[in-house]
Amino acid sequence: MPPQQPEPPDRLSQLRGDRPPQPYSARKITALTANPTCSRRAVLDASGVDKTALAQRMGYEPRFGQSPFAIAREEAFKAFVKWGAYAELIRLLREELGVPVEEAKLQDLTDVGGITTIAARERETRSLIGAIVAGDQDRLILQNPVLTLEVAGQLAYLEPDALTHRIDGKFHVVAIRSFPAIDGQANPTAVAQTAQQAAVHVLALRRAFAAAGLDAEQIANTFLLICPKDFSNRPYLRQIDLRQELDALAFQLTRLSRAENLVRDLPHAATLDIDRDPGELLESVGRLPASYVPDCLSFCEMARYCRDEADTQASPARLGSAVRNDLPGIDSTSTALAYLDRLLPQGEEAAETIELLLAAERLHRLRRGDVA
Ligand code: SF4
């Protein structure tokens, strides 16, 4: 069950309209940090807009996302791993990692004495972690804990599958996925994506420790991946290093702008409310600066719209981030071609870029033997 999302600040909520906000998730945050200079994505995520529904309303069918079949399979596998108070996970901890598990001490944080609000669950998670670190409590597994992380100036509530703290005395994030490990090898892309998502949870755990004045050394830089073994439903466990993902994520988060600053200059009539007219949505979304790169097609629901927009504007980014980065100050490929054809005077603006462009053209012609 996705965590309930507290209301974002007023202007962002107002832009979204009456529909309930879509929560942040580790998957969403990894997509957001894959293109941290994109204000459009930052605003859409912070306002809790359903980007799939928005893209559809604007006439663009998102091309990716988990199929209902994949979601159902993952839910079924998670239920199997959690069955019997995590009997299978406990077996794996014992057999694969030599964890001395005598009894399953499980704390389900799905509700706190009947209270299911996300804030209450987060408080309880923090309090339990503090008690475990102090040695006042002992739990083998914290099921459905809630952690927080600041993303683009918003507080994101996140829900890892589980936490455990008995491996080398350190807290480990547990990620349960339904892609199989065949002969000990899982799909590298799926593993890499899971690692990026686990890094979001580890970073949120670090922030919780820091806020409570606890020693972050007690958090592992690895996570536990649980997935089906071979062609069976039997779980397989692998411990995966996360140091690279953690460094990359921490850096990318610092590059995000605060969402409320990004909407400050929008006109009052702007809207992201998917119940409004598509024309109004196209107008408003178009006012949010985007930073399209072809990779967007693999992670963002808005990609087809942004690609069309980049085509219309002849944006250099349409050819990839390398071309965009090579042409700072030049906002369209038509402008770049006009400079090369000497149709535009070379002014002070973007002078360095134009010099490099002309030098690259000279080099290209030399190589082709067009000039002596
Ligand atoms: S598809 Fe559009 S909104 Fe999404 S990250 Fe790319 S540029 Fe931003």
Side-chain angles (χ1 to χ4, degrees), residues 9 11-12 14-15 39 43 154 258-270 287-289:
R11 180 65 172 129
L12 293 166
Q14 185 206 350
L15 281 167
S39 303
V43 169
Q154 309 289 304
R258 294 180 73 84
E260 66 261 35
N261 294 345
L262 297 173
V263 294
R264 216 163 260 161
D265 296 332
L266 282 182
H268 184 70
R287 286 179 176 272
L288 294 168

Side-chain angles (χ1 to χ4, degrees), residues 35 38 40-41 44 290-293 296 299-303 306:
N35 191 357
C38 180
R40 179 174 295 162
R41 167 105 200 189
L44 294 177
S291 182
Y292 178 80
V293 286
C296 289
F299 61 77
C300 185
E301 295 86 341
M302 300 298 293
C306 296

Side-chain angles (χ1 to χ4, degrees), residues 36-66:
T37 54
C38 180
S39 303
R40 179 174 295 162
R41 167 105 200 189
V43 169
L44 294 177
D45 281 353
S47 54
V49 170
D50 180 341
K51 293 189 295 301
T52 299
L54 176 67
Q56 285 168 335
R57 185 89 173 127
M58 290 164 61
Y60 292 85
E61 196 60 41
R63 213 173 42 168
F64 80 98
Q66 272 187 302

